[in-house]
């Protein structure tokens, strides 16, 4: 089976801009999800799942067509988003496989994959997703929605020194001008935010992140991890210390995530394993 295509819904989601950019930079073809025909040979990866996508796939599955397509759902959302718990998240995705909407489901947090028995695939980065800069204006940026759990951390810092959340093209300057990237979870689950970390890696921003149970391929050589209750003091410490070691940490993260774990390379490896040795 040859040919990897990504299938996106016709509804645009701002939060998936970076995913679509990584797909483009890696040279993969992008089609609309309602153009997928399961009788046509190929690998189709769905980075977004919504009602329209599910309805189309159910129609395809129930059409009586002979199936030649290999269908993959790549879910980078957190369990608390819509499922409410890790258990519900796992069952929901297993049901999609049982119903034959998908042949496999990928997640990009290693521990989440272990707990749900779904497939772990690294979401890498790309050197052209962003460029590092030595000019700095902001202490840190977070590039995340401001919810109480996060603003309870941000409030301890001078708001004028925080790189505000925004979208491209304005975002490029904010990321370049930030010294650190702060990653606070949306909820209490210690799972990573792979797309946000991919973005930070492209800009070589040293990441200070709330604890992640298994952050692979990230570790303490390329990021700083701290519990929610201590992350304010840990970020303050980083801001007070010599920046050079942290700058080098960010550059190491960029090298790792755009080299060994470059987005397209990870996708091609996972697909080759899916159609060969995996299972």
């Amino acid at each position: 089976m040859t040919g990897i295509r990504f299938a996106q819904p016709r509804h645009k989601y701002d939060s998936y801009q970076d995913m679509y950019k990584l797909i483009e930079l890696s040279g993969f073809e992008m089609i609309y999800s309602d153009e997928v025909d399961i009788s046509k040979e190929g690998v189709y990866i769905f980075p977004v799942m919504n009602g329209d996508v599910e309805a189309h796939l159910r129609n395809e599955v129930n059409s009586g067509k002979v199936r030649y397509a290999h269908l993959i759902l790549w879910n980078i959302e957190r369990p608390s988003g819509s499922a409410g718990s890790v258990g519900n998240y796992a069952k929901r995705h297993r049901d999609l496989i049982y119903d034959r909407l998908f042949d496999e489901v990928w997640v990009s947090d290693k521990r989440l994959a272990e707990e749900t028995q779904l497939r772990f695939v690294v979401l890498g980065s790309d050197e052209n997703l962003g460029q590092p800069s030595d000019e700095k204006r902001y202490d840190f940026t977070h590039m995340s929605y401001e919810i109480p759990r996060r603003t309870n951390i941000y409030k301890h810092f001078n708001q004028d020194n925080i790189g505000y959340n925004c979208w491209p093209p304005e975002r490029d300057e904010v990321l370049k001008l930030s010294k650190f990237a702060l990653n606070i979870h949306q909820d209490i689950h210690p799972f990573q935010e792979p797309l946000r970390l991919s973005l930070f890696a492209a800009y070589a921003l040293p990441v200070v992140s709330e604890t992640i149970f298994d952050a692979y391929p990230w570790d303490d050589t390329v990021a700083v991890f701290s519990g929610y209750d201590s992350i304010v003091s840990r970020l303050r410490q980083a801001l007070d210390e010599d920046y050079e070691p942290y700058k080098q940490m960010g550059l190491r993260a960029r090298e790792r995530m755009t080299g060994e774990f470059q987005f397209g390379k990870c996708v091609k490896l996972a697909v080759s394993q899916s159609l060969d040795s995996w299972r």
Side-chain angles (χ1 to χ4, degrees):
M1 180 179 290
T2 59
I4 300 173
R5 298 179 179 87
F6 280 80
Q8 64 173 324
R10 292 189 181 272
H11 179 79
K12 299 298 183 184
Y13 293 91
D14 286 340
S15 57
Y16 279 80
Q17 289 184 50
D18 296 317
M19 186 67 152
Y20 296 151
K21 187 64 176 177
L22 286 166
I23 293 167
E24 175 190 333
L25 290 171
S26 297
F28 295 115
E29 181 183 354
M30 178 78 84
I31 64 172
Y32 286 112
S33 54
D34 57 18
E35 296 175 321
V36 172
D37 182 342
I38 65 170
S39 69
K40 301 293 178 62
E41 186 173 327
V43 175
Y44 299 90
I45 303 174
F46 296 74
V48 179
M49 180 68 170
N50 66 11
D52 292 338
V53 173
E54 181 170 350
H56 173 72
L57 290 180
R58 289 195 182 279
N59 287 337
E60 286 288 299
V61 168
N62 295 327
S63 67
K65 294 178 179 179
V66 176
R67 180 167 177 161
Y68 290 99
H70 186 83
L71 307 180
I72 300 169
L73 172 61
W74 194 351
N75 194 335
I76 60 172
E77 296 294 333
R78 299 176 64 79
S80 61
S82 57
S85 72
V86 174
N88 287 339
Y89 184 94
K91 182 179 184 303
R92 163 65 173 160
H93 289 88
R94 284 194 293 268
D95 285 345
L96 292 173
I97 296 174
Y98 295 152
D99 290 346
R100 300 301 298 127
L101 270 66
F102 295 100
D103 295 288
E104 54 183 303
V105 177
W106 294 356
V107 296
S108 292
D109 180 282
K110 196 165 185 234
R111 177 65 180 196
L112 181 61
E114 291 173 358
E115 291 189 14
T116 59
Q117 290 299 290
L118 300 172
R119 177 87 185 278
F120 172 65
V121 174
V122 173
L123 194 159
S125 189
D126 190 278
E127 63 182 6
N128 292 313
L129 184 62
Q131 295 296 323
S133 172
D134 289 330
E135 183 182 355
K136 301 298 177 184
R137 180 189 307 165
Y138 303 110
D139 286 342
F140 70 89
T141 187
H142 53 84
M143 293 300 159
S144 57
Y145 291 115
E146 295 193 357
I147 58 174
R149 192 174 190 278
R150 290 173 174 148
T151 56
N152 189 50
I153 300 297
Y154 307 155
K155 71 181 182 182
H156 295 282
F157 299 90
N158 185 332
Q159 300 303 296
D160 292 335
N161 294 338
I162 299 176
Y164 52 92
N165 186 40
C166 54
W167 297 109
E170 180 182 16
R171 189 187 65 181
D172 179 64
E173 181 179 16
V174 175
L175 286 164
K176 286 180 176 178
L177 293 175
S178 297
K179 293 179 66 176
F180 289 91
L182 179 63
N183 183 54
I184 304 295
H185 303 319
Q186 176 182 336
D187 50 56
I188 62 172
H189 295 305
F191 302 128
Q192 66 171 279
E193 293 74 11
L195 190 56
R196 187 176 305 130
L197 293 179
S198 173
L199 176 67
F200 293 156
Y203 285 86
L205 291 180
V207 173
V208 177
S209 175
E210 184 180 356
T211 299
I212 299 172
F213 191 94
D214 188 339
Y216 181 86
W218 294 77
D219 57 34
D220 58 10
T221 67
V222 293
V224 173
F225 298 96
S226 182
Y228 184 82
D229 297 312
S230 58
I231 200 162
V232 170
S233 59
R234 185 62 186 90
L235 179 54
R236 282 178 173 161
Q237 177 186 339
L239 290 168
D240 289 340
E241 292 176 336
D242 179 14
Y243 184 64
E244 185 60 26
Y246 292 104
K247 176 183 175 180
Q248 294 304 316
M249 174 180 286
L251 290 170
R252 287 195 298 273
R254 187 177 199 269
E255 181 180 10
R256 178 180 298 183
M257 298 306 294
T258 65
E260 180 182 358
F261 296 102
Q262 190 273 337
F263 180 86
K265 187 185 297 186
C266 291
V267 171
K268 291 174 184 176
L269 175 61
V271 168
S272 69
Q273 292 171 340
S274 295
L275 304 181
D276 181 20
S277 59
W278 187 73
R279 296 174 188 273

